[in-house]
Amino acid sequence: MHDERRRIEERVQRLHDQRIKTAIYAATVPLAVEAWQAPGEPVPFAEAAAAPYAPFAMGTPWGPPWGTTWFRMRGQVPTAWAGKRVEAVIDLGFVGDWPGNQAEALVHLTDGRPLKAVNPLNQYVPIAHPAVGGEEIDYLVEAASNPDILANDFAAPTPLGDVLTAGDKPLYTFRRADIAILDEEVWHLDLDIQVLRELMLQLGEHDPRRHEIMHTLDRAMDLLDLDDISGSAASVRQALKPVLAKPAHASAHIISGVGHAHIDSAWLWPIRETKRKTSRTFSNVTSLADEYEEFVFACSQAQQYEWVRDNHPHVWARIQESVKKGQWAPVGGMWVEADGNLPGGEALARQLIHGKRFFIEHFGVETKGVWLPDSFGYTAAYPQLARLAGNEWFLTQKISWNQTNKFPHHTFWWEGIDGTRIFTHFPPVDTYNARFSGEEMARAVRNYSEKGGATRSLAPFGWGDGGGGPTREIMERARRLKDLEGSPKVEIEHPDAFFAKARAEYPDAPVWVGELYLELHRATYTSQARTKQGNRRSEHRLREAELWATTAALHAPGYAYPYAKLDRLWKTVLLHQFHDILPGSSIAWVHREAEAEYARVARELEELTAEAVAALGEGGTRVFNTSPFDRAEVIRTATGVPTYVEVPAGGSAPVAVAEPPQPVTVSGRVLDNGLVRVEVAEDGTLASVRDLRAGGREVLADKGNLLRLHTDLPNCWDAWDVDKHYRNRYTDLLDADSVTVVDEDPLLGSIRVERSFGKGSKITQTITLRAGSPRIDFETDIDWHEAEKFLKAGFPVDIRAPHSSAEIQFGHIQRPTHTNTSWEAARFEVSGHRWVHIAEPGYGVAVINDSTYGHDVSRTVRDDGGTTTTVRLSLVRAPRVPDPGADQGRHRFTYSLLPGATIDDAVAEGYALNLPLRLADAAGAPEPVVSVDGEGVTVEAVKLADDESGDIVVRLYESRGGRAAGVLRTGFPLAGAQVTDLLERPLEDAEIVDGGVPVTLRPFQILTLRLRRG
């Protein structure tokens, strides 16, 4: 047989694209359209319904950036169309086929009920099926003219990312608003051909099935009457039935399809637009559920449900009904799909607590899995946190984006830092926006790593990132692919069902231990430094407010614990941990609003904490210590006078000078407190740091606190990525404008270094050494005006460290300092929380921070044979896309060098730097709510139980990485104690011995105790 593949393939493509697809709508009549441009921000339906509308013609430009235009559309279905399937078809002037970042609209009836949304690949609104003819159409359509931020593939900065800079030029040209007949036979033919043609092109050139499909399509095209597509469609479909009816092979891979609509809670649009995106997408999904009884839609992010509940009660009611019918599956159990690295431990716990509780309260559904397809790597604390919240499985897809190494598994057991394991799956389809295309189906089978051990994978299907969700066309593809030769089988089912089947057939799946590090998007540990600082400080302020509110509730008669306010503030912070807000990868508008929200949260939490402390009564100035460790340190009083105080963990003490330690001496540029001696060089770097407790050991191998400015232009994704070549071009900031002694108090010595550099940028650093502490602080004030630059602060330490330890949620993770393998080399930029620690046997050093997350650790061998291990903190970046002004302006933060540090020291000083002692006027000295006898048992949270019972909830963890034992003692009569899950539900009774609760923890174990007052 002659090879006619090219002729046939080109013939099928042309007839499909140019004739069949264009005949899907058999007849149309235009709707009469009027328009009203809403001023400023979106308005409620009632205001839009009462607005004055003006005639609007097709082909007219509309929609300034971030604007809202309401259209009124009226018409009547022709009586001759009785019995036909009739739809309204609306094209706002869509660009491309992605519904996420462009014009979108929600269609309402005149009574305010949302019907359905329209977007590029979902332009229809059902009217009647079958139509009786003569129906009156009257719609109010809320259209958002969101700019296409991705229009230039992120090649250059754009002013469109903020309403303040976007201008007012119309972005779109309205193309179509019609009533139309959907020719169902032609529509189905279109889908038949799509599925067969895509399958054919994925099969091997010598596969008989490919040639069978090809020649069947060729013969079927002979039956297509180009003058009567509609009339001949049925016969063409009949000719294709035999190849569509052939069943899949018995060993065919099984894909569990679950509807999905990934909606970034903010990204290339502000939060206010996400509130509308959720209603648009969810109205589409509930409409689709009415058409396809087998449809199942998985949806995470409790915050988005809450927005819909509050803004569109009709859509909310439809969601509740779909959940009851089993077609809507709440999943994920988190408040938002948070970043997987940066939120603190307690914050990740609260993500799970607030998310799971929302679904239980509103749907009676307890979610079983963590659904995080798009976060940028995943902390090794997740398995334990997920299981403590009652989850059984974990899903992500993002690790398939790795730049260097291919992750070896798709289904596996993931083991966290404490040994907890959770059953985990990466969809081999390599997307969370699947459409069941032939290429996707072939890719899933080709990629699947578990061949021979397991047979099934999951595919989240539907348009996503900016929402949109599944379409009827995708559902029709799934029906055709349910059992089709040459393709994997597609089953639509709940993700819980998939995970149950996958675990049953593959119980001995391989184990991956430790973090799931994404070899991409490493700059998200640093970009938008003020957003990250706002998160870090909010987390610690929440801890502080809860502790002192609990103290006041126990000891101050009449004080009311602020349950509702704390709940609201927590949810605000949790929202801003979304994986495109906290990582710094959103448009300018998002980060501008985030900074304002963090400032508001700070004010409110300051008020709550002040109220709680004031409720303890007046009686003189006291110092309050929120840290879980006893503190003895120098603080400044209200008048600025340095004072040395001692304060118990979680308690308070009067401002009375304690036994003074050895004083600080300042001699030239040398600071000495008997513990360490610090010499500042003429250029403002550290020339020497000697640990006097270790016989005068020199800590540094070269200039310390070396500020290095790198050129930073990644290959793409500016705000997300830093590529290894950034290291090759840099400038060391060694020109100091001034180096000046500013404090010479016996309790505190400081030297200030000022530098100017680059495009008008300035850095002022105050290097401080306090009496009684080996910690050296670098209080930093940066006025930053660079572009495409990356600023690092380096500490080359004379230590041969085989690995670094970086704090993560509820523990720490060790990473090799060598680059023996490609996996280690790919970790050239990593994340950590409050501290990084390096050590050789007998001696260690920690670098501590109060707001940054990115860092790198490297080592070299010197000519003298010694090893230099260098820790560099990532301080600030200057990407220009998607926010042209990212990180510009003022930054204030502190980082510290801690010589002679153990892991215990790093943990304690990390808390100390991030939880400054508080001065306040208060009476008496109430006992700390809880205290712990025993090393390694660290208190992370103290609060009243969420059920308002008055019980006290305490969250503890083992912080050193070894076994720990101790006794939890209370500052109140203890009547009972229970071990609970994260949602504060009892697991077992805890023993009480001599008024305390004995605690034994394995390495990095998290323990939640619920304490009942006597």
Side-chain angles (χ1 to χ4, degrees), residues 592-788:
R592 174 169 57 82
E593 289 191 331
E595 290 177 34
E597 281 293 278
Y598 285 130
R600 180 185 63 79
V601 167
R603 288 192 299 271
E604 291 197 40
L605 287 172
E606 180 61 31
E607 290 171 3
L608 290 181
T609 303
E611 289 170 4
V613 171
L616 298 173
E618 298 180 358
T621 303
R622 296 183 68 83
V623 186
F624 291 80
N625 174 19
T626 308
S627 165
F629 298 95
D630 295 343
R631 305 268 282 275
E633 63 185 67
V634 175
I635 63 169
R636 291 184 186 271
T637 64
T639 59
V641 177
T643 304
Y644 186 79
V645 295
E646 295 179 348
V647 198
S652 67
V655 179
V657 178
E659 183 69 27
Q662 185 170 334
V664 177
T665 61
V666 181
S667 176
R669 297 188 305 275
V670 177
L671 307 174
D672 188 325
N673 67 355
L675 302 174
V676 294
R677 181 181 300 125
V678 181
E679 181 182 346
V680 179
E682 289 184 13
D683 60 15
T685 62
L686 299 188
S688 172
V689 174
R690 291 197 173 272
D691 189 339
L692 304 180
R693 301 164 302 170
R697 172 176 178 150
E698 176 58 59
V699 174
L700 299 177
D702 205 339
K703 292 178 180 292
N705 193 37
L706 176 64
L707 298 173
R708 179 166 286 181
L709 187 67
H710 293 267
T711 296
D712 179 24
L713 184 66
N715 293 341
C716 59
W717 301 103
D718 291 20
W720 291 257
D721 285 353
V722 57
D723 288 324
K724 189 177 289 187
H725 54 250
Y726 89 91
R727 293 179 169 183
N728 301 336
R729 187 176 179 85
Y730 59 85
T731 300
D732 289 338
L733 304 185
L734 297 176
D735 295 328
D737 299 338
S738 63
V739 179
T740 310
V741 174
V742 291
D743 286 299
E744 294 187 70
D745 189 273
L747 293 177
L748 181 149
S750 299
I751 295 174
R752 182 166 297 154
V753 180
E754 296 182 339
R755 304 183 189 277
S756 302
F757 63 95
K759 300 179 179 179
S761 297
K762 295 183 179 181
I763 298 179
T764 300
Q765 289 197 304
T766 304
I767 305 168
T768 300
L769 184 66
R770 294 173 174 83
S773 173
R775 196 181 84 197
I776 307 156
D777 290 344
F778 302 85
E779 299 170 44
T780 304
D781 188 326
I782 304 180
D783 189 12
W784 180 251
H785 299 286
E786 304 308 297
E788 297 172 349

Side-chain angles (χ1 to χ4, degrees), residues 904-923:
D904 281 344
D905 296 330
V907 172
E909 291 300 323
Y911 277 107
L913 185 63
N914 283 269
L915 290 165
L917 295 174
R918 167 181 290 269
L919 288 168
D921 188 58

Side-chain angles (χ1 to χ4, degrees), residues 166-183:
D168 57 6
K169 181 180 178 181
L171 297 175
Y172 301 98
T173 300
F174 212 123
R175 293 199 190 102
R176 180 180 190 184
D178 295 330
I179 304 173
I181 298 173
L182 177 70
D183 191 321

Side-chain angles (χ1 to χ4, degrees), residues 75-94:
Q76 186 175 38
V77 177
T79 56
W81 291 5
K84 306 291 185 182
R85 184 166 179 171
V86 181
E87 300 176 344
V89 184
I90 301 168
D91 184 346
L92 301 170
F94 299 120

Side-chain angles (χ1 to χ4, degrees), residues 963-983:
R963 294 189 177 273
V967 177
L968 180 81
R969 304 199 180 278
T970 63
F972 55 90
L974 181 61
Q978 292 177 319
V979 176
T980 74
D981 67 3
L982 289 186
L983 276 71

Side-chain angles (χ1 to χ4, degrees), residues 248-313:
H249 298 305
S251 59
H253 183 71
I254 302 168
I255 292 180
S256 296
V258 57
H260 186 229
H262 186 68
I263 306 178
D264 287 320
S265 290
W267 179 28
L268 305 179
W269 47 85
I271 287 172
R272 70 92 147 140
E273 195 55 35
T274 313
K275 294 177 181 179
R276 301 201 293 178
K277 283 177 175 290
T278 54
S279 296
R280 296 181 200 122
T281 295
F282 294 173
S283 66
N284 281 0
V285 170
T286 52
S287 177
L288 195 65
D290 292 337
E291 291 187 64
Y292 294 88
E293 62 180 14
E294 74 271 30
F295 178 57
V296 176
F297 179 72
C299 186
S300 65
Q301 304 196 78
Q303 171 69 88
Q304 296 184 0
Y305 286 77
E306 186 175 80
W307 285 334
V308 174
R309 182 197 68 189
D310 294 345
N311 296 320
H312 282 288

